[in-house]
Amino acid sequence: MPELPEVEALRDFLSDHLVGQEIAGALPVAISVLKTYDPPWTALAGRTVTGVARHGKFLDIDADGLHLCVHLARAGWLRWHDALPSAPPKPGKGPLALRVALAGGAGFDLTEAGTRKSLAAHLVHDPSEVPGIARLGPDPLAPGFGRDDLAALLAGERRLLKGALRDQSLVAGIGNAYSDEILHAARMSPFKPVAHLTDDEITTLYEAMRATLTEAVERSRGLAAGRLKAEKKSGLRVHGRTGQPCPVCGDTVREVSFADSSLQYCPTCQTGGKVLADRRLSKLLK
């Protein structure tokens, strides 16, 4: 799933390629991608792109006051074309969900692999009309977001760290992969209760979050859209690396599986050497 660093890199890429360009039209290919109907999608034709923004994991393309807000979900992606294919796409054929064409012949496709269709595109007058954007918490890389802001958000939390970091209404943009990476950098268990964090641990968590996300954004900056997935994977230390050695201590990276996802961690770095049981068994190995 694209998270804050990849979506920020896509924002940079699209700012360079879209701003100032006239939209020739938007062609929905999969009805499941469309989450709004008013204004109509035909209203994009003839408008000029004036800006591209990011809200958490949402992309926001501003076309003369109409906002195309996109959430790529788990298996969605954006594919740029310097020259779009001349033949119109066929509905129901392949992963293509939405095509946006520019007057000069370039454009981009929104695609989604797999059978679970969660890719979402909204056309609105104001991004706050999108429910997923309206509920977002603060951006963890915002200049004014400090350690005390994170402490205030965590105050009174009764959840485990992993779940809290992934909650978009708490902080925006962190998903499964970067929550694993942040917790590894902070040397904290994903199942540590937020309520048990000390003041020093909150400081450590804040610093790990800012550093991990900032480094990932810098690695992705300037890359073409098609290279971002590979860059994300190459930069991860524990997520998606089950069975491989931890790059910090050399211990074996372990995995905990859930119904539809998994997390990875290093026992030596994060849990005092304890191996966490598969959560499907709902217990912790002592």
Side-chain angles (χ1 to χ4, degrees), residues 5-17 77-82 108 216-232:
E6 295 77 48
V7 179
E8 178 65 15
L10 285 173
R11 185 200 66 78
D12 279 347
F13 178 86
L14 291 177
S15 293
D16 290 341
H17 289 74
W77 196 243
L78 184 148
R79 299 185 184 277
W80 177 263
H81 300 275
D82 289 327
F108 64 87
V217 168
E218 290 304 315
R219 286 197 308 270
S220 300
R221 193 178 302 279
L223 293 180
R227 295 176 56 194
L228 289 173
K229 287 184 180 181
E231 172 55 41
K232 175 181 180 179

Side-chain angles (χ1 to χ4, degrees), residues 21 29 34 37 67 81 105-106 114 147 167 179 204 206 215 226 278 283 285:
Q21 299 292 321
V29 179
L34 303 181
Y37 63 90
H67 294 258
H81 300 275
R147 180 265 179 209
D167 183 352
S179 57
T204 298
Y206 172 78
E215 290 169 6
D278 192 312
K283 63 181 180 180
L285 293 179

Side-chain angles (χ1 to χ4, degrees), residues 192-212:
K192 183 179 182 67
V194 173
H196 292 177
L197 289 173
T198 66
D199 286 344
D200 286 345
E201 286 174 329
I202 292 175
T203 299
T204 298
L205 180 64
Y206 172 78
E207 292 174 349
M209 179 176 64
R210 294 278 289 202
T212 298

Side-chain angles (χ1 to χ4, degrees), residues 19-271:
V19 173
Q21 299 292 321
E22 180 184 338
I23 296 176
L27 177 62
V29 179
I31 193 66
S32 61
V33 73
L34 303 181
K35 304 304 178 185
T36 58
Y37 63 90
D38 185 21
W41 287 82
T42 54
L44 280 171
R47 289 176 176 263
T48 299
V49 177
T50 54
V52 183
R54 177 184 60 79
H55 312 284
K57 291 186 275 189
F58 284 84
L59 277 170
D60 172 8
I61 299 169
D62 185 347
D64 283 335
L66 274 187
H67 294 258
L68 171 56
C69 297
V70 175
H71 192 287
L72 295 170
R74 174 173 293 187
W77 196 243
L78 184 148
R79 299 185 184 277
W80 177 263
H81 300 275
D82 289 327
L84 284 169
S86 57
K90 297 180 179 179
K93 300 292 184 180
L96 181 59
L98 176 71
R99 172 165 290 172
V100 175
L102 302 179
F108 64 87
D109 292 334
L110 296 179
T111 64
E112 186 171 26
T115 56
R116 176 183 290 184
K117 301 303 180 184
S118 303
L119 177 66
H122 307 253
L123 189 60
V124 293
H125 292 287
D126 189 315
S128 64
E129 298 173 37
V130 179
I133 293 177
R135 71 180 182 87
L136 288 176
D139 192 296
L141 291 186
F145 185 75
R147 180 265 179 209
D148 291 343
D149 297 299
L150 177 63
L153 292 172
L154 296 177
E157 276 286 340
R158 293 293 180 265
R159 289 178 290 180
L160 304 180
L161 263 177
K162 173 75 176 180
L165 286 178
R166 292 185 63 188
D167 183 352
Q168 300 303 294
S169 64
L170 187 74
V171 287
I174 300 171
N176 196 30
Y178 287 106
S179 57
D180 282 353
E181 296 297 297
I182 290 166
L183 291 171
H184 179 256
R187 303 180 71 87
M188 294 180 184
S189 169
F191 297 149
K192 183 179 182 67
V194 173
H196 292 177
L197 289 173
T198 66
D199 286 344
D200 286 345
E201 286 174 329
I202 292 175
T203 299
T204 298
L205 180 64
Y206 172 78
E207 292 174 349
M209 179 176 64
R210 294 278 289 202
T212 298
L213 295 175
T214 298
E215 290 169 6
V217 168
E218 290 304 315
R219 286 197 308 270
S220 300
R221 193 178 302 279
L223 293 180
R227 295 176 56 194
L228 289 173
K229 287 184 180 181
E231 172 55 41
K232 175 181 180 179
K233 185 175 181 180
S234 69
L236 298 175
R237 294 187 170 193
V238 290
H239 185 80
R241 299 189 178 276
T242 303
Q244 299 181 35
C246 169
V248 174
C249 71
D251 194 2
T252 301
V253 173
R254 305 296 184 112
E255 176 177 305
V256 177
S257 297
F258 300 86
D260 60 352
S261 66
S262 63
L263 65 82
Q264 285 77 42
Y265 69 100
C266 169
T268 295
C269 291
Q270 296 176 253
T271 60

